[in-house]
Amino acid sequence: SRRYDTKTNAFSSDGRLMQVENALEGINQAGSSIGILTDEGITFACERDVSSSLLELSKHSEEIFCLDRHVHCVVSGLAADANLLIEVSRVHSQRFRYSYRENIPIQELVRHVCDIKQRYTQVGGQRPFGAAFLFGGWDKTFKFQLYSSDPSGNFAGWKAIAIGKNHVAANSFLKENYQEGMTMTQGLDLAVKALCKTIDTTNPSPDKLEIMYMTKNEAGELVAKTLNEKEVLELLQRNNFQVKQKE
């Protein structure tokens, strides 16, 4: 079996690509991320990975990224691998706008990223990307959409999905509690409850959680907002969590 483990593009004797499975397992050890599709937009929630109290916190998000004005993504896994794909996504989106004078369809952007991911599972001497994504956005054809993508290059559309650590428990919770026709407020409540399931605590700290949403305002314009620490605290208290105080 050793010769299968050392080759990134070789099938094992039972028909498995071990390096892809290893990449998936690595993502399952990374911070948790939740995506929920509602009638009013999309909600993302993720866990901040703070390895040391001495670490200077970033002034911008390290988990949620804007790819274009109509699409955002959440990353789980190796940030360095994800950064390359994020840059590729941004460039591809701008090239599409330059060529066609309109926003790129969400599925077209997701498919482009996944084609690159798949190529790295088939070419010798390259390893799979150690990053999974949740893509959320709006286009004129299919309105609000939510997709997930893994290192194998597969992608799928979802109403609600969790990736990262303890994703099985979170997805089970989402399956039981997701309802059609949810409002944005209900989506935020469900997202924070599912995220707290993955981090296995009843007293989460607001500075360890990152939550954002995309919706349309009264003028019909697409807006994206990341909740600040005070707003995350209010969201936790609204859902009856005993909030952990900063050390």
Side-chain angles (χ1 to χ4, degrees):
S1 63
R2 185 176 178 183
R3 65 181 181 273
Y4 301 123
D5 294 340
T6 57
K7 290 184 177 295
T8 59
N9 61 337
F11 285 96
S12 66
S13 57
D14 54 353
R16 298 158 62 189
L17 287 172
M18 302 306 298
Q19 291 294 339
V20 173
E21 293 188 17
N22 292 340
L24 289 168
E25 186 59 33
I27 290 165
N28 292 340
Q29 305 302 318
S32 305
S33 299
I34 311 291
I36 296 176
L37 181 66
T38 72
D39 280 2
E40 298 178 358
I42 295 170
T43 299
F44 286 134
C46 57
E47 177 186 3
R48 290 179 185 265
D49 185 16
V50 181
S51 56
S52 171
S53 59
L54 300 176
L55 184 65
E56 180 70 27
L57 293 179
S58 174
K59 297 298 187 290
H60 59 83
S61 173
E62 296 181 348
E63 307 289 340
I64 303 174
F65 298 88
C66 176
L67 302 180
D68 203 341
R69 57 192 176 192
H70 67 300
V71 57
H72 285 65
C73 75
V74 178
V75 173
S76 185
L78 297 178
D81 285 12
N83 286 339
L84 189 152
L85 292 171
I86 289 167
E87 191 64 25
V88 167
S89 303
R90 288 170 172 168
V91 171
H92 185 65
S93 181
Q94 296 306 311
R95 284 176 174 168
F96 187 95
R97 177 176 289 111
Y98 181 80
S99 299
Y100 300 104
R101 299 297 188 269
E102 62 180 13
N103 293 337
I104 187 171
I106 308 302
Q107 193 174 91
E108 163 65 24
L109 182 60
V110 174
R111 183 180 291 112
H112 179 74
V113 174
C114 290
D115 285 346
I116 295 172
K117 283 187 172 186
Q118 192 278 332
R119 194 180 310 144
Y120 276 72
T121 69
Q122 199 168 4
V123 178
Q126 298 177 339
R127 65 165 176 81
F129 285 94
F133 288 79
L134 296 180
F135 296 92
W138 184 95
D139 63 42
K140 62 183 180 181
T141 304
F142 297 110
K143 313 307 178 187
F144 284 107
Q145 300 154 69
L146 175 66
Y147 295 93
S148 69
S149 164
D150 63 37
S152 69
N154 286 329
F155 71 92
W158 299 90
K159 297 176 181 177
I161 183 66
I163 58 175
K165 184 170 55 180
N166 293 334
H167 67 284
V168 175
N171 282 321
S172 177
F173 178 83
L174 291 171
K175 187 175 181 179
E176 293 175 1
N177 293 276
Y178 182 85
Q179 297 177 350
E180 297 285 351
M182 294 177 68
T183 64
M184 182 58 68
T185 299
Q186 292 172 324
L188 287 167
D189 291 342
L190 181 59
V192 75
K193 289 176 182 177
L195 185 60
C196 290
K197 279 279 185 183
T198 67
I199 58 180
D200 197 22
T201 181
T202 57
N203 57 340
S205 177
D207 62 323
K208 300 292 180 64
L209 308 181
E210 189 168 359
I211 300 172
M212 70 88 64
Y213 63 87
M214 298 178 63
T215 188
K216 284 201 165 188
N217 60 20
E218 295 179 355
E221 299 171 335
L222 192 64
V223 294
K225 175 176 173 56
T226 299
L227 302 189
N228 58 39
E229 194 170 317
K230 181 180 178 182
E231 291 169 327
V232 174
L233 174 61
E234 293 172 352
L235 179 60
L236 290 169
Q237 291 175 336
R238 188 173 77 208
N239 287 278
N240 301 316
F241 285 102
Q242 299 296 321
V243 180
K244 183 179 180 181
Q245 300 297 322
K246 284 186 177 182
E247 298 178 356

